[in-house]
Amino acid sequence: QVQLQESGPGLVKPSETLSVTCTVSGASISSYYWSWIRQPPGKGLEWIGYIYNSGSTIYNPSLRSRVTISVDTSKNQFSLSLSSVTAADTAVYFCARRLSGSYSERYFDYWGQGTLVTVSS
Amino acid sequence: DIQLTQSPSFLSASVGDRVTITCRASQGISSYLAWYQQKPGKAPKLLIYAASTLQSGVPSRFSGSGSGTEFTLTISSLQPEDFATYYCQQLNTYPLFGGGTKVEIK
């Protein structure tokens, strides 16, 4: 059974860097596309980026300048860093798995439960 | 950039009702669309992919149709556990989600 679990500090100060980690069990981090998706309170879903092939990345153009996604294959984990945060980055951050096949298969089939990160001084 | 517009944003329905949610893409995306259900405090759950393929384990009262720019998610007979928010997601290029449709009890 594939499981994803996010972890990270619940509170980050403005202008600092937000860091969240996703631990994957039941699937190899070296396969599939691993993604971060966020959801501000009461709002919709925003894709942040993918990591795949143990280190290749694709980012949402709107966040690209501030985002880094990295992977630790030895721990079967991947991480998100978002720099220069503001209150607008307050959201539940989800990690999710995407298959690596054709366009029809580029859905997210497994998700973590999400972790709320609040940006506040 | 492709835009996805869901309608309605909110709907009120009763148990047993047939419910239809629409997702319109600003340009053609073939059948590259998925639907998710999200309950409060939970992660989204995949319902349908490739516009009409039911994910394993999802009840058959859920169905999807459409291609190109217009897609629909239909719940044939609404059950109490179906009250949730539904999102479409285009599978072409970058992942993009619709704004969501909240289904509430009438």
Side-chain angles (χ1 to χ4, degrees):
Chain A
Q1 175 70 358
V2 178
Q3 293 185 317
L4 292 81
Q5 176 74 53
E6 302 91 346
S7 59
L11 183 64
V12 180
K13 290 182 168 55
S15 80
E16 295 189 345
T17 296
L18 175 161
S19 296
V20 190
T21 294
C22 183
T23 301
V24 178
S25 57
S28 171
I29 201 81
S30 300
S31 303
Y32 308 101
Y33 282 56
W34 302 96
S35 187
W36 288 101
I37 296 160
R38 70 180 182 177
Q39 185 172 38
K43 296 188 177 180
L45 299 160
E46 180 181 33
W47 171 72
I48 298 170
Y50 294 127
I51 191 162
Y52 63 103
N53 287 347
S54 301
S56 298
T57 53
I58 304 175
Y59 299 136
N60 186 324
S62 69
L63 296 168
R64 184 180 293 143
S65 63
R66 299 194 292 131
V67 172
T68 302
I69 298 176
S70 58
V71 66
D72 185 337
T73 55
S74 67
K75 295 181 179 178
N76 225 40
Q77 294 176 335
F78 65 106
S79 298
L80 167 70
S81 292
L82 182 66
S83 64
S84 305
V85 297
T86 69
D89 296 309
T90 293
V92 175
Y93 285 78
F94 295 101
C95 55
R97 186 185 85 164
R98 196 211 87 178
L99 301 182
S100 54
S102 66
Y103 284 124
S104 295
E105 297 177 329
R106 295 182 179 183
Y107 48 82
F108 299 105
D109 59 350
Y110 288 97
W111 297 65
Q113 87 282 0
T115 186
L116 174 63
V117 179
T118 301
V119 179
S120 176
S121 54
Chain B
D1 291 351
I2 296 174
Q3 307 293 325
L4 289 180
T5 303
Q6 279 185 242
S7 60
S9 300
F10 172 88
L11 75 86
S12 182
S14 301
V15 172
D17 283 353
R18 181 182 182 88
V19 167
T20 298
I21 298 167
T22 298
C23 180
R24 289 187 175 87
S26 58
Q27 55 187 275
I29 56 171
S30 186
S31 61
Y32 305 139
L33 192 94
W35 290 96
Y36 298 84
Q37 176 194 68
Q38 187 180 32
K39 296 182 179 179
K42 301 293 187 181
K45 172 188 172 184
L46 178 68
L47 299 175
I48 287 167
Y49 62 94
S52 61
T53 302
L54 203 63
Q55 173 70 342
S56 175
V58 173
S60 59
R61 63 181 179 273
F62 291 92
S63 65
S65 65
S67 67
T69 61
E70 186 152 335
F71 302 85
T72 59
L73 171 70
T74 299
I75 309 171
S76 60
S77 178
L78 199 64
Q79 297 302 300
E81 60 268 31
D82 300 337
F83 292 95
T85 301
Y86 294 84
Y87 293 94
C88 57
Q89 180 219 336
Q90 66 106 5
L91 307 177
N92 197 9
T93 61
Y94 298 114
L96 174 68
F97 294 90
T101 296
K102 186 173 185 179
V103 178
E104 289 202 343
I105 300 173
K106 196 171 191 177

